[in-house]
Amino acid sequence: MSAHSKCEERVTRILIKPGSASGCRYHRSGILHLSSTMSTHPVVELTSEASWAMVEDKFSPYAKETLAKLIEFMESEILPAIKVAHAQLPIDPNMRWKTVIPIIEELKVKAKKLGLWNLFLSKAHYPEFGVSLTNLEYAVMAEILGRGGHFAPQVVNCSAPDTGNMEVLARYANREQQQKWLVPLLNGEIRSAFAMTEKHVASSDATNIRTSLRREGDEIVINGHKWWISGAGDPRCKVHLVLGKSDPGNKSAYHQQSIVLVPADTAGVKIIRPMKVFGYDDAPEGHCEIIYDNVRVPVGNLVLGWGKGFEIIQGRLGPGRIHHCMRSIGAAQYALDTMLRRVTDPAKKTFGKYLYEHGTVVADIAKSRAEIEGARLLVLSAALQIDKVKAKGALKEIGIAKFVVPSMALEVIDRAMQSFGAEGLSQDQELASAWAGLRTLRIADGPDAVHIQQVGLKELKRAPALVQKDMEIKRKQAMLMEKAGVKAHL
């Protein structure tokens, strides 16, 4: 029986109850349990009953089936393959950046056959290219993918920066641009990079961008120095979406930028070096320093129009930020699960006791559980808002999740690492690399301080209405006190 057939059979056993056994519950083991509740989805074992109960009625039958299929595929195919993927990536510094990891490519074929493909792209927002999933439905699926580090999202074509770039192309690109770049990205045939951050300026303020985009006849000439450009090191990376300043004299600081599509092999595109995150190079995708030296592309490579760069990046970063948060929840949950296995392992007893019987281990477990639950609700709330009012209308919810979730996940992973001792810091566990990757999220897509400032200022806008309401309550209070003959005490 093929892997596809086995997965379908297992999912069917999970979701479909024989006859009219409406009072039955199924676990992923296929064992039948009597229950007074509705059928329990396998996601409950990986998240929580409470969070699933809040969103289950918002999931379509297709979404529930796809989620169950993803969980089965994750546990039977992806997680067992992660160490193989690491082993297939050469240590040789030159070969690392020329390698397409074989087992990832094999799993991509299986995932596509199962329909586990481009799950992030909602048909509600992208009718022509999307799948029949809402952002809320994908949020739960992204959490599952977060359990598999940066390999799992690749397998189902849901990894950054391609996800954000595909959304940009689906929303803003013209038909010719979509056929040339979006279609092969959707098919998983190529990869891409988004070139925004610059070395010599504070790029958290996008108006500081200095890379120049200058029109000469039928061409756009690009000159600039970028770094931390994720995905640019991959041998499959075929296009860069480059943000630059095209109209520096414009009175509006938010209409000076444009985005242009630059084929990765264009003359003048110089990959200087891969940057490292706490010593990790994240090959073969990497995060590269790039110089664009008199790079020339056709005017037809301009996306949406001159001066539309800021509009595009705001549309791109909203969903991208929440996707990162969704996966971060999964990474934190996986770390807690790993910690639970460790502290209950009889082979790791110290002084005759299990690790959980020492110190504050139980309290650490409880804190991690509580923090994950709270952060998950933030993410689900933000995803639901995006479905209702799109990313622009959900900026507050996205911003809160962006500065709360990564910090939470870092704390949870740190506790898990501590339970492993030195092993938790090594390559023998995924915890250290997960921590390093998550630490970048407190800076990537806008540093914590920016999101905190924006959310705080948005809250302050409520103050005048609150003062007015308080004055009205006090006015009525004074009237009632006078009527009752009660003297006010100031």
Side-chain angles (χ1 to χ4, degrees):
M1 184 182 292
S2 68
H4 183 188
S5 301
K6 287 179 181 177
C7 190
E8 293 282 11
E9 179 190 36
R10 191 99 183 270
V11 170
T12 302
R13 189 166 70 248
I14 294 166
L15 294 177
I16 301 178
K17 302 183 295 256
S20 58
S22 58
C24 298
R25 179 173 64 184
Y26 276 82
H27 287 274
R28 279 177 287 120
S29 61
I31 300 172
L32 179 67
H33 294 264
L34 293 179
S35 170
S36 59
T37 63
M38 298 172 62
S39 62
T40 298
H41 195 282
V43 74
V44 169
E45 293 180 25
L46 301 180
T47 56
S48 72
E49 290 186 14
S51 60
W52 178 242
M54 290 185 65
V55 300
E56 182 178 10
D57 63 343
K58 296 176 176 62
F59 269 58
S60 69
Y62 168 75
K64 290 179 182 178
E65 181 181 355
T66 301
L67 177 58
K69 198 184 297 183
L70 177 63
I71 291 169
E72 174 62 24
F73 188 63
M74 186 79 178
E75 297 192 341
S76 65
E77 299 276 0
I78 297 178
L79 291 178
I82 288 177
K83 285 195 180 295
V84 177
H86 282 300
Q88 290 179 339
L89 185 61
I91 297 174
D92 180 270
N94 292 317
M95 292 305 298
R96 285 175 73 77
W97 302 102
K98 298 176 182 178
T99 298
V100 176
I101 300 174
I103 199 165
I104 298 297
E105 295 305 299
E106 293 168 18
L107 290 175
K108 284 168 66 176
V109 174
K110 294 179 181 180
K112 192 179 286 192
K113 286 181 179 177
L114 286 167
L116 299 174
W117 198 255
N118 294 334
L119 305 173
F120 72 96
L121 200 63
S122 174
K123 190 179 284 290
H125 299 296
Y126 306 98
E128 185 176 354
F129 303 106
V131 296
S132 298
L133 295 171
T134 63
N135 279 287
L136 178 64
E137 291 165 342
Y138 176 63
V140 180
M141 296 178 194
E143 176 177 341
I144 302 304
L145 291 171
R147 300 172 68 88
H150 72 281
F151 286 132
Q154 286 185 47
V155 170
V156 294
N157 212 40
C158 291
S159 58
D162 296 333
T163 48
N165 291 341
M166 284 187 267
E167 290 196 54
V168 165
L169 294 169
R171 180 179 297 176
Y172 301 112
N174 61 39
R175 179 63 61 184
E176 183 181 349
Q177 292 167 346
Q178 288 175 342
Q179 286 299 314
K180 187 170 184 177
W181 303 116
L182 176 59
V183 171
L185 279 168
L186 288 170
N187 291 337
E189 297 163 0
I190 65 171
R191 299 207 64 184
S192 60
F194 188 78
M196 175 178 169
T197 304
E198 298 192 358
K199 185 172 184 178
H200 301 294
V201 301
S203 299
S204 57
D205 178 357
T207 63
N208 286 334
I209 296 300
R210 292 179 181 174
T211 294
S212 69
L213 306 179
R214 188 181 74 257
R215 179 166 184 170
E216 287 188 6
D218 293 332
E219 292 183 319
I220 300 172
V221 183
I222 304 130
N223 282 283
H225 194 159
K226 305 281 189 179
W227 70 344
W228 296 105
I229 308 308
S230 298
D234 197 303
R236 298 160 295 180
C237 181
K238 300 302 180 185
V239 63
H240 299 182
L241 280 70
V242 180
L243 176 72
K245 194 161 282 189
S246 54
D247 186 9
N250 195 301
K251 292 182 180 179
S252 170
Y254 302 103
H255 291 89
Q256 296 177 357
Q257 306 84 8
S258 300
I259 287 181
V260 63
L261 300 169
V262 178
D265 60 357
T266 304
V269 177
K270 301 175 181 177
I271 305 292
I272 304 303
R273 58 172 175 160
M275 306 301 296
K276 292 185 178 181
V277 179
F278 295 105
Y280 295 98
D281 62 9
D282 293 334
E285 302 86 24
H287 317 282
C288 296
E289 181 176 354
I290 305 174
I291 290 177
Y292 297 93
D293 184 10
N294 284 317
V295 175
R296 291 176 176 270
V297 297
V299 171
N301 286 23
L302 182 69
V303 180
L304 191 60
W306 295 106
K308 299 293 185 179
F310 205 88
E311 175 186 343
I312 293 170
I313 63 171
Q314 287 302 108
R316 181 189 188 278
L317 289 176
R321 286 166 179 154
I322 203 65
H323 291 169
H324 282 313
C325 290
M326 295 165 180
R327 290 189 292 269
S328 299
I329 300 288
Q333 178 67 62
Y334 191 68
L336 176 57
D337 293 352
T338 302
M339 180 180 181
L340 290 173
R341 291 193 297 270
R342 176 72 172 197
V343 302
T344 58
D345 184 352
K348 300 298 180 181
K349 284 184 177 181
T350 58
F351 306 104
K353 294 181 179 180
Y354 286 97
L355 291 180
Y356 74 82
E357 296 178 304
H358 290 283
T360 62
V361 173
V362 170
D364 287 343
I365 291 169
K367 288 176 185 176
S368 293
R369 171 81 277 138
E371 290 164 4
I372 290 170
E373 291 298 322
R376 180 183 288 122
L377 294 181
L378 273 177
V379 169
L380 294 176
S381 170
L384 184 60
Q385 278 293 95
I386 293 173
D387 284 330
K388 288 185 174 182
V389 294
K390 297 188 177 180
K392 191 173 182 179
L395 291 180
K396 183 182 77 172
E397 290 76 14
I398 293 171
I400 294 172
K402 178 61 175 62
F403 70 77
V404 168
V405 173
S407 293
M408 174 282 300
L410 287 168
E411 286 289 335
V412 171
I413 293 174
D414 185 76
R415 294 179 191 127
M417 285 194 294
Q418 194 70 16
S419 74
F420 275 84
E423 184 184 345
L425 308 178
S426 75
Q427 69 270 38
D428 287 356
Q429 295 294 329
E430 298 291 330
L431 297 170
S433 62
W435 192 94
L438 282 164
R439 184 58 184 84
T440 67
L441 295 187
R442 294 193 56 210
I443 299 171
D445 291 345
D448 284 2
V450 169
H451 295 290
I452 290 170
Q453 180 79 354
Q454 289 174 343
V455 171
L457 290 174
K458 194 172 184 66
E459 280 296 290
L460 282 170
K461 291 179 180 179
R462 298 173 53 229
L466 292 172
V467 170
Q468 188 65 36
K469 185 177 288 186
D470 185 60
M471 289 174 61
E472 182 62 20
I473 290 171
K474 286 179 176 176
R475 185 185 67 81
K476 292 180 180 179
Q477 173 184 281
M479 292 173 58
L480 288 172
M481 292 181 72
E482 183 180 356
K483 184 177 180 180
V486 176
K487 187 176 181 180
H489 296 283
L490 300 177

